[in-house]
Amino acid sequence: MSNFDPIQLYKEHFVNKQFERLNLFLPLNKLYNIKSVLYPGSFVHMTPSFVFPKTVYVDTDKRTPKFFADPRVVQFISAEKIYAQDPEVSFLFTDYRKRLELPIESFDLLISQYAGIISKYCKQFLKINGLLLANNSHADATMAFLDDDFELIATITHRNGKYKYSSENLDLFFVPKKQEHPKIEEFEMNQKAIGYKKTVGNYLFRRVK
């Protein structure tokens, strides 16, 4: 008999560390009409499913197939969700840099959190005018900023467990402290951001083409 407990795994890595980031997703629900989400490099971070009705998770960790196949996960999401309909939760056990069997331009939101250059490999699945939520842990926010297919529309600050979205003074961000931006290929190779005069924890982009 297996002792595997998916809910405990989620709580261990996210709830106990106060890293669920529920308040990061809730404003998106209020500000934008988001119904479908693609989350590459998700591990077992199922929090987006509390807010958005349809989420496709993608990861290569060996624990994730068992996690998302366990019916207790959907039961837990159903108890926590803020929307009326039943949750749609899908999982792909694969590297997001490989070809994903997903419809092109079919998602409202693409989430990039601590998992590499997601914006490059998965933007094809994002609708035109769809949103990319990205941090700069692997320079993915920088990659999106330098990509003509994306437009920076908001910055997101985090303080005392609350996230604040702002569309003001966007021209102050991604301004290098010293050198000019390296070529986009260098960011992809190194996955390391340079120093900027002004930064925040997360950035929101819109796919414009």
Side-chain angles (χ1 to χ4, degrees):
M1 183 176 179
S2 174
N3 293 322
F4 180 75
D5 185 341
I7 309 308
Q8 184 58 40
L9 183 62
Y10 168 72
K11 290 182 177 180
E12 176 186 346
H13 286 273
F14 298 102
V15 178
N16 297 349
K17 297 179 181 179
Q18 298 183 337
F19 201 49
E20 308 101 303
R21 285 160 284 168
L22 178 62
N23 290 332
L24 175 62
F25 303 118
L26 285 172
L28 285 173
N29 182 62
K30 295 179 180 179
L31 295 171
Y32 305 95
N33 186 30
I34 295 174
K35 302 298 183 184
S36 56
V37 178
L38 177 59
Y39 191 175
S42 61
F43 184 45
V44 298
H45 186 215
M46 62 176 163
T47 311
S49 289
F50 302 165
V51 180
F52 309 113
K54 178 182 178 180
T55 306
V56 177
Y57 298 90
V58 184
D59 207 273
T60 57
D61 189 283
K62 294 180 180 180
R63 293 166 290 183
T64 51
K66 194 172 184 179
F67 176 88
F68 285 103
D70 197 303
R72 289 173 289 183
V73 169
V74 172
Q75 292 170 5
F76 188 82
I77 291 171
S78 297
E80 299 291 330
K81 65 183 177 66
I82 64 171
Y83 45 88
Q85 62 265 52
D86 293 336
E88 294 183 47
V89 179
S90 303
F91 174 70
L92 299 176
F93 183 50
T94 187
D95 188 330
Y96 66 79
R97 293 170 295 183
K98 298 179 180 179
R99 178 179 174 84
L100 301 180
E101 297 299 326
L102 295 170
I104 301 300
E105 297 183 4
S106 59
F107 291 92
D108 300 314
L109 175 66
L110 176 62
I111 297 176
S112 176
Q113 299 282 293
Y114 308 100
I117 309 298
I118 287 168
S119 62
K120 173 185 176 179
Y121 292 97
C122 297
K123 70 179 178 182
Q124 61 183 312
F125 304 112
L126 189 61
K127 296 176 181 177
I128 303 299
N129 293 319
L131 302 176
L132 165 68
L133 174 66
N135 62 25
N136 219 21
S137 67
H138 292 86
D140 201 17
T142 294
M143 288 284 288
F145 180 78
L146 297 175
D147 189 337
D148 291 339
D149 289 348
F150 287 108
E151 174 190 17
L152 178 65
I153 62 170
T155 58
I156 307 163
T157 55
H158 180 218
R159 180 176 295 178
N160 298 325
K162 296 182 179 180
Y163 292 86
K164 180 181 179 181
Y165 284 68
S166 174
S167 59
E168 298 179 357
N169 301 317
L170 297 180
D171 58 324
L172 299 180
F173 294 88
F174 296 100
V175 177
K177 287 182 178 180
K178 297 180 180 180
Q179 76 271 38
E180 295 296 317
H181 274 117
K183 293 181 179 180
I184 196 168
E185 292 81 8
E186 294 181 46
F187 281 113
E188 182 180 0
M189 181 179 298
N190 299 327
Q191 296 192 18
K192 184 178 180 180
I194 63 174
Y196 292 116
K197 294 181 179 180
K198 191 175 181 63
T199 62
V200 292
N202 274 279
Y203 302 86
L204 191 65
F205 298 86
R206 176 181 285 118
R207 184 183 176 189
V208 294
K209 61 181 180 179

mmCIF file with all atom_site columns, all heavy atoms in Angstrom, residues 13 17 44-45 63 90 93 95 109 114 138 144 156 178 199 206:
data_model
loop_
_atom_site.group_PDB
_atom_site.id
_atom_site.type_symbol
_atom_site.label_atom_id
_atom_site.label_alt_id
_atom_site.label_comp_id
_atom_site.label_asym_id
_atom_site.label_entity_id
_atom_site.label_seq_id
_atom_site.pdbx_PDB_ins_code
_atom_site.Cartn_x
_atom_site.Cartn_y
_atom_site.Cartn_z
_atom_site.occupancy
_atom_site.B_iso_or_equiv
_atom_site.pdbx_formal_charge
_atom_site.auth_seq_id
_atom_site.auth_comp_id
_atom_site.auth_asym_id
_atom_site.auth_atom_id
_atom_site.pdbx_PDB_model_num
ATOM 1   N N   . HIS A 1 13  ? 5.600  21.799 -0.053  1.00 0.00 ? 13  HIS A N   1
ATOM 2   C CA  . HIS A 1 13  ? 6.404  22.652 -0.919  1.00 0.00 ? 13  HIS A CA  1
ATOM 3   C C   . HIS A 1 13  ? 5.833  24.053 -1.092  1.00 0.00 ? 13  HIS A C   1
ATOM 4   O O   . HIS A 1 13  ? 6.579  24.977 -1.465  1.00 0.00 ? 13  HIS A O   1
ATOM 5   C CB  . HIS A 1 13  ? 6.558  21.992 -2.293  1.00 0.00 ? 13  HIS A CB  1
ATOM 6   C CG  . HIS A 1 13  ? 7.509  20.836 -2.280  1.00 0.00 ? 13  HIS A CG  1
ATOM 7   N ND1 . HIS A 1 13  ? 8.868  20.986 -2.466  1.00 0.00 ? 13  HIS A ND1 1
ATOM 8   C CD2 . HIS A 1 13  ? 7.287  19.507 -2.083  1.00 0.00 ? 13  HIS A CD2 1
ATOM 9   C CE1 . HIS A 1 13  ? 9.458  19.810 -2.395  1.00 0.00 ? 13  HIS A CE1 1
ATOM 10  N NE2 . HIS A 1 13  ? 8.524  18.884 -2.171  1.00 0.00 ? 13  HIS A NE2 1
ATOM 11  N N   . LYS A 1 17  ? 5.517  26.711 3.192   1.00 0.00 ? 17  LYS A N   1
ATOM 12  C CA  . LYS A 1 17  ? 6.519  27.741 2.890   1.00 0.00 ? 17  LYS A CA  1
ATOM 13  C C   . LYS A 1 17  ? 5.871  29.085 2.547   1.00 0.00 ? 17  LYS A C   1
ATOM 14  O O   . LYS A 1 17  ? 6.572  30.023 2.163   1.00 0.00 ? 17  LYS A O   1
ATOM 15  C CB  . LYS A 1 17  ? 7.404  27.276 1.732   1.00 0.00 ? 17  LYS A CB  1
ATOM 16  C CG  . LYS A 1 17  ? 8.214  26.027 2.049   1.00 0.00 ? 17  LYS A CG  1
ATOM 17  C CD  . LYS A 1 17  ? 9.049  25.585 0.863   1.00 0.00 ? 17  LYS A CD  1
ATOM 18  C CE  . LYS A 1 17  ? 9.839  24.324 1.193   1.00 0.00 ? 17  LYS A CE  1
ATOM 19  N NZ  . LYS A 1 17  ? 10.653 23.856 0.030   1.00 0.00 ? 17  LYS A NZ  1
ATOM 20  N N   . VAL A 1 44  ? 4.132  20.650 -8.574  1.00 0.00 ? 44  VAL A N   1
ATOM 21  C CA  . VAL A 1 44  ? 2.787  20.326 -8.083  1.00 0.00 ? 44  VAL A CA  1
ATOM 22  C C   . VAL A 1 44  ? 2.072  21.587 -7.593  1.00 0.00 ? 44  VAL A C   1
ATOM 23  O O   . VAL A 1 44  ? 1.188  21.524 -6.749  1.00 0.00 ? 44  VAL A O   1
ATOM 24  C CB  . VAL A 1 44  ? 2.841  19.259 -6.970  1.00 0.00 ? 44  VAL A CB  1
ATOM 25  C CG1 . VAL A 1 44  ? 3.421  17.965 -7.507  1.00 0.00 ? 44  VAL A CG1 1
ATOM 26  C CG2 . VAL A 1 44  ? 3.634  19.747 -5.758  1.00 0.00 ? 44  VAL A CG2 1
ATOM 27  N N   . HIS A 1 45  ? 2.442  22.710 -8.154  1.00 0.00 ? 45  HIS A N   1
ATOM 28  C CA  . HIS A 1 45  ? 1.851  23.990 -7.740  1.00 0.00 ? 45  HIS A CA  1
ATOM 29  C C   . HIS A 1 45  ? 0.465  24.148 -8.372  1.00 0.00 ? 45  HIS A C   1
ATOM 30  O O   . HIS A 1 45  ? 0.286  24.822 -9.386  1.00 0.00 ? 45  HIS A O   1
ATOM 31  C CB  . HIS A 1 45  ? 2.768  25.143 -8.158  1.00 0.00 ? 45  HIS A CB  1
ATOM 32  C CG  . HIS A 1 45  ? 2.326  26.474 -7.662  1.00 0.00 ? 45  HIS A CG  1
ATOM 33  N ND1 . HIS A 1 45  ? 2.493  27.631 -8.377  1.00 0.00 ? 45  HIS A ND1 1
ATOM 34  C CD2 . HIS A 1 45  ? 1.704  26.825 -6.502  1.00 0.00 ? 45  HIS A CD2 1
ATOM 35  C CE1 . HIS A 1 45  ? 2.021  28.649 -7.693  1.00 0.00 ? 45  HIS A CE1 1
ATOM 36  N NE2 . HIS A 1 45  ? 1.527  28.180 -6.557  1.00 0.00 ? 45  HIS A NE2 1
ATOM 37  N N   . ARG A 1 63  ? 7.629  12.774 -9.598  1.00 0.00 ? 63  ARG A N   1
ATOM 38  C CA  . ARG A 1 63  ? 6.482  12.701 -8.696  1.00 0.00 ? 63  ARG A CA  1
ATOM 39  C C   . ARG A 1 63  ? 5.214  13.280 -9.303  1.00 0.00 ? 63  ARG A C   1
ATOM 40  O O   . ARG A 1 63  ? 4.108  13.012 -8.824  1.00 0.00 ? 63  ARG A O   1
ATOM 41  C CB  . ARG A 1 63  ? 6.800  13.442 -7.394  1.00 0.00 ? 63  ARG A CB  1
ATOM 42  C CG  . ARG A 1 63  ? 7.876  12.792 -6.535  1.00 0.00 ? 63  ARG A CG  1
ATOM 43  C CD  . ARG A 1 63  ? 8.382  13.728 -5.466  1.00 0.00 ? 63  ARG A CD  1
ATOM 44  N NE  . ARG A 1 63  ? 9.179  14.815 -6.044  1.00 0.00 ? 63  ARG A NE  1
ATOM 45  C CZ  . ARG A 1 63  ? 9.787  15.751 -5.320  1.00 0.00 ? 63  ARG A CZ  1
ATOM 46  N NH1 . ARG A 1 63  ? 9.682  15.740 -4.000  1.00 0.00 ? 63  ARG A NH1 1
ATOM 47  N NH2 . ARG A 1 63  ? 10.502 16.698 -5.910  1.00 0.00 ? 63  ARG A NH2 1
ATOM 48  N N   . SER A 1 90  ? -5.406 19.172 -16.442 1.00 0.00 ? 90  SER A N   1
ATOM 49  C CA  . SER A 1 90  ? -4.678 18.254 -17.314 1.00 0.00 ? 90  SER A CA  1
ATOM 50  C C   . SER A 1 90  ? -3.195 18.325 -16.988 1.00 0.00 ? 90  SER A C   1
ATOM 51  O O   . SER A 1 90  ? -2.707 19.340 -16.480 1.00 0.00 ? 90  SER A O   1
ATOM 52  C CB  . SER A 1 90  ? -4.905 18.608 -18.783 1.00 0.00 ? 90  SER A CB  1
ATOM 53  O OG  . SER A 1 90  ? -6.282 18.597 -19.109 1.00 0.00 ? 90  SER A OG  1
ATOM 54  N N   . PHE A 1 93  ? 3.461  15.017 -18.864 1.00 0.00 ? 93  PHE A N   1
ATOM 55  C CA  . PHE A 1 93  ? 4.753  14.625 -18.286 1.00 0.00 ? 93  PHE A CA  1
ATOM 56  C C   . PHE A 1 93  ? 5.794  14.683 -19.387 1.00 0.00 ? 93  PHE A C   1
ATOM 57  O O   . PHE A 1 93  ? 6.102  13.687 -20.049 1.00 0.00 ? 93  PHE A O   1
ATOM 58  C CB  . PHE A 1 93  ? 4.650  13.229 -17.693 1.00 0.00 ? 93  PHE A CB  1
ATOM 59  C CG  . PHE A 1 93  ? 5.911  12.751 -17.009 1.00 0.00 ? 93  PHE A CG  1
ATOM 60  C CD1 . PHE A 1 93  ? 6.559  13.548 -16.078 1.00 0.00 ? 93  PHE A CD1 1
ATOM 61  C CD2 . PHE A 1 93  ? 6.442  11.498 -17.301 1.00 0.00 ? 93  PHE A CD2 1
ATOM 62  C CE1 . PHE A 1 93  ? 7.719  13.117 -15.450 1.00 0.00 ? 93  PHE A CE1 1
ATOM 63  C CE2 . PHE A 1 93  ? 7.595  11.050 -16.671 1.00 0.00 ? 93  PHE A CE2 1
ATOM 64  C CZ  . PHE A 1 93  ? 8.236  11.876 -15.746 1.00 0.00 ? 93  PHE A CZ  1
ATOM 65  N N   . ASP A 1 95  ? 9.099  17.551 -21.230 1.00 0.00 ? 95  ASP A N   1
ATOM 66  C CA  . ASP A 1 95  ? 9.872  18.785 -21.234 1.00 0.00 ? 95  ASP A CA  1
ATOM 67  C C   . ASP A 1 95  ? 9.150  19.790 -22.119 1.00 0.00 ? 95  ASP A C   1
ATOM 68  O O   . ASP A 1 95  ? 8.881  19.507 -23.295 1.00 0.00 ? 95  ASP A O   1
ATOM 69  C CB  . ASP A 1 95  ? 11.269 18.482 -21.790 1.00 0.00 ? 95  ASP A CB  1
ATOM 70  C CG  . ASP A 1 95  ? 12.228 19.654 -21.665 1.00 0.00 ? 95  ASP A CG  1
ATOM 71  O OD1 . ASP A 1 95  ? 11.771 20.821 -21.708 1.00 0.00 ? 95  ASP A OD1 1
ATOM 72  O OD2 . ASP A 1 95  ? 13.440 19.418 -21.547 1.00 0.00 ? 95  ASP A OD2 1
ATOM 73  N N   . LEU A 1 109 ? -3.679 32.504 -20.640 1.00 0.00 ? 109 LEU A N   1
ATOM 74  C CA  . LEU A 1 109 ? -2.586 32.869 -19.750 1.00 0.00 ? 109 LEU A CA  1
ATOM 75  C C   . LEU A 1 109 ? -1.482 31.819 -19.808 1.00 0.00 ? 109 LEU A C   1
ATOM 76  O O   . LEU A 1 109 ? -1.760 30.619 -19.767 1.00 0.00 ? 109 LEU A O   1
ATOM 77  C CB  . LEU A 1 109 ? -3.094 32.996 -18.313 1.00 0.00 ? 109 LEU A CB  1
ATOM 78  C CG  . LEU A 1 109 ? -2.050 33.263 -17.217 1.00 0.00 ? 109 LEU A CG  1
ATOM 79  C CD1 . LEU A 1 109 ? -1.409 34.638 -17.401 1.00 0.00 ? 109 LEU A CD1 1
ATOM 80  C CD2 . LEU A 1 109 ? -2.677 33.139 -15.826 1.00 0.00 ? 109 LEU A CD2 1
ATOM 81  N N   . TYR A 1 114 ? 10.171 30.449 -12.345 1.00 0.00 ? 114 TYR A N   1
ATOM 82  C CA  . TYR A 1 114 ? 11.342 29.677 -11.905 1.00 0.00 ? 114 TYR A CA  1
ATOM 83  C C   . TYR A 1 114 ? 11.589 28.414 -12.726 1.00 0.00 ? 114 TYR A C   1
ATOM 84  O O   . TYR A 1 114 ? 12.076 27.422 -12.210 1.00 0.00 ? 114 TYR A O   1
ATOM 85  C CB  . TYR A 1 114 ? 11.194 29.287 -10.435 1.00 0.00 ? 114 TYR A CB  1
ATOM 86  C CG  . TYR A 1 114 ? 10.883 30.438 -9.511  1.00 0.00 ? 114 TYR A CG  1
ATOM 87  C CD1 . TYR A 1 114 ? 9.587  30.671 -9.070  1.00 0.00 ? 114 TYR A CD1 1
ATOM 88  C CD2 . TYR A 1 114 ? 11.892 31.304 -9.081  1.00 0.00 ? 114 TYR A CD2 1
ATOM 89  C CE1 . TYR A 1 114 ? 9.294  31.737 -8.224  1.00 0.00 ? 114 TYR A CE1 1
ATOM 90  C CE2 . TYR A 1 114 ? 11.603 32.366 -8.234  1.00 0.00 ? 114 TYR A CE2 1
ATOM 91  C CZ  . TYR A 1 114 ? 10.305 32.575 -7.814  1.00 0.00 ? 114 TYR A CZ  1
ATOM 92  O OH  . TYR A 1 114 ? 10.020 33.628 -6.985  1.00 0.00 ? 114 TYR A OH  1
ATOM 93  N N   . HIS A 1 138 ? 15.090 33.206 -14.383 1.00 0.00 ? 138 HIS A N   1
ATOM 94  C CA  . HIS A 1 138 ? 15.928 32.643 -15.436 1.00 0.00 ? 138 HIS A CA  1
ATOM 95  C C   . HIS A 1 138 ? 15.972 33.578 -16.637 1.00 0.00 ? 138 HIS A C   1
ATOM 96  O O   . HIS A 1 138 ? 16.125 33.139 -17.777 1.00 0.00 ? 138 HIS A O   1
ATOM 97  C CB  . HIS A 1 138 ? 15.418 31.263 -15.860 1.00 0.00 ? 138 HIS A CB  1
ATOM 98  C CG  . HIS A 1 138 ? 15.563 30.214 -14.810 1.00 0.00 ? 138 HIS A CG  1
ATOM 99  N ND1 . HIS A 1 138 ? 14.619 30.018 -13.832 1.00 0.00 ? 138 HIS A ND1 1
ATOM 100 C CD2 . HIS A 1 138 ? 16.550 29.314 -14.562 1.00 0.00 ? 138 HIS A CD2 1
ATOM 101 C CE1 . HIS A 1 138 ? 15.012 29.019 -13.035 1.00 0.00 ? 138 HIS A CE1 1
ATOM 102 N NE2 . HIS A 1 138 ? 16.168 28.588 -13.454 1.00 0.00 ? 138 HIS A NE2 1
ATOM 103 N N   . ALA A 1 144 ? 11.074 38.093 -22.682 1.00 0.00 ? 144 ALA A N   1
ATOM 104 C CA  . ALA A 1 144 ? 9.786  38.572 -23.167 1.00 0.00 ? 144 ALA A CA  1
ATOM 105 C C   . ALA A 1 144 ? 9.845  40.058 -23.498 1.00 0.00 ? 144 ALA A C   1
ATOM 106 O O   . ALA A 1 144 ? 9.264  40.517 -24.491 1.00 0.00 ? 144 ALA A O   1
ATOM 107 C CB  . ALA A 1 144 ? 8.698  38.301 -22.125 1.00 0.00 ? 144 ALA A CB  1
ATOM 108 N N   . ILE A 1 156 ? 4.355  43.829 -11.052 1.00 0.00 ? 156 ILE A N   1
ATOM 109 C CA  . ILE A 1 156 ? 3.677  43.257 -9.892  1.00 0.00 ? 156 ILE A CA  1
ATOM 110 C C   . ILE A 1 156 ? 4.638  43.249 -8.710  1.00 0.00 ? 156 ILE A C   1
ATOM 111 O O   . ILE A 1 156 ? 5.675  42.570 -8.740  1.00 0.00 ? 156 ILE A O   1
ATOM 112 C CB  . ILE A 1 156 ? 3.193  41.825 -10.182 1.00 0.00 ? 156 ILE A CB  1
ATOM 113 C CG1 . ILE A 1 156 ? 2.357  41.798 -11.471 1.00 0.00 ? 156 ILE A CG1 1
ATOM 114 C CG2 . ILE A 1 156 ? 2.374  41.291 -9.008  1.00 0.00 ? 156 ILE A CG2 1
ATOM 115 C CD1 . ILE A 1 156 ? 2.185  40.436 -12.064 1.00 0.00 ? 156 ILE A CD1 1
ATOM 116 N N   . LYS A 1 178 ? 24.311 49.261 -16.018 1.00 0.00 ? 178 LYS A N   1
ATOM 117 C CA  . LYS A 1 178 ? 25.602 49.612 -16.600 1.00 0.00 ? 178 LYS A CA  1
ATOM 118 C C   . LYS A 1 178 ? 25.609 49.393 -18.109 1.00 0.00 ? 178 LYS A C   1
ATOM 119 O O   . LYS A 1 178 ? 25.523 50.323 -18.886 1.00 0.00 ? 178 LYS A O   1
ATOM 120 C CB  . LYS A 1 178 ? 26.715 48.808 -15.929 1.00 0.00 ? 178 LYS A CB  1
ATOM 121 C CG  . LYS A 1 178 ? 26.865 49.095 -14.436 1.00 0.00 ? 178 LYS A CG  1
ATOM 122 C CD  . LYS A 1 178 ? 27.987 48.261 -13.827 1.00 0.00 ? 178 LYS A CD  1
ATOM 123 C CE  . LYS A 1 178 ? 28.127 48.555 -12.331 1.00 0.00 ? 178 LYS A CE  1
ATOM 124 N NZ  . LYS A 1 178 ? 29.207 47.750 -11.703 1.00 0.00 ? 178 LYS A NZ  1
ATOM 125 N N   . THR A 1 199 ? 13.430 47.022 -10.425 1.00 0.00 ? 199 THR A N   1
ATOM 126 C CA  . THR A 1 199 ? 12.903 45.677 -10.646 1.00 0.00 ? 199 THR A CA  1
ATOM 127 C C   . THR A 1 199 ? 11.710 45.412 -9.737  1.00 0.00 ? 199 THR A C   1
ATOM 128 O O   . THR A 1 199 ? 11.510 46.093 -8.727  1.00 0.00 ? 199 THR A O   1
ATOM 129 C CB  . THR A 1 199 ? 13.969 44.601 -10.368 1.00 0.00 ? 199 THR A CB  1
ATOM 130 O OG1 . THR A 1 199 ? 14.362 44.679 -8.987  1.00 0.00 ? 199 THR A OG1 1
ATOM 131 C CG2 . THR A 1 199 ? 15.187 44.787 -11.251 1.00 0.00 ? 199 THR A CG2 1
ATOM 132 N N   . ARG A 1 206 ? 1.565  41.135 -22.608 1.00 0.00 ? 206 ARG A N   1
ATOM 133 C CA  . ARG A 1 206 ? 0.495  40.732 -23.537 1.00 0.00 ? 206 ARG A CA  1
ATOM 134 C C   . ARG A 1 206 ? 1.135  40.303 -24.847 1.00 0.00 ? 206 ARG A C   1
ATOM 135 O O   . ARG A 1 206 ? 2.050  40.972 -25.362 1.00 0.00 ? 206 ARG A O   1
ATOM 136 C CB  . ARG A 1 206 ? -0.476 41.882 -23.785 1.00 0.00 ? 206 ARG A CB  1
ATOM 137 C CG  . ARG A 1 206 ? -1.554 41.535 -24.831 1.00 0.00 ? 206 ARG A CG  1
ATOM 138 C CD  . ARG A 1 206 ? -2.497 42.689 -25.098 1.00 0.00 ? 206 ARG A CD  1
ATOM 139 N NE  . ARG A 1 206 ? -3.425 42.841 -23.981 1.00 0.00 ? 206 ARG A NE  1
ATOM 140 C CZ  . ARG A 1 206 ? -3.517 43.916 -23.218 1.00 0.00 ? 206 ARG A CZ  1
ATOM 141 N NH1 . ARG A 1 206 ? -2.706 44.949 -23.424 1.00 0.00 ? 206 ARG A NH1 1
ATOM 142 N NH2 . ARG A 1 206 ? -4.392 43.995 -22.247 1.00 0.00 ? 206 ARG A NH2 1
#
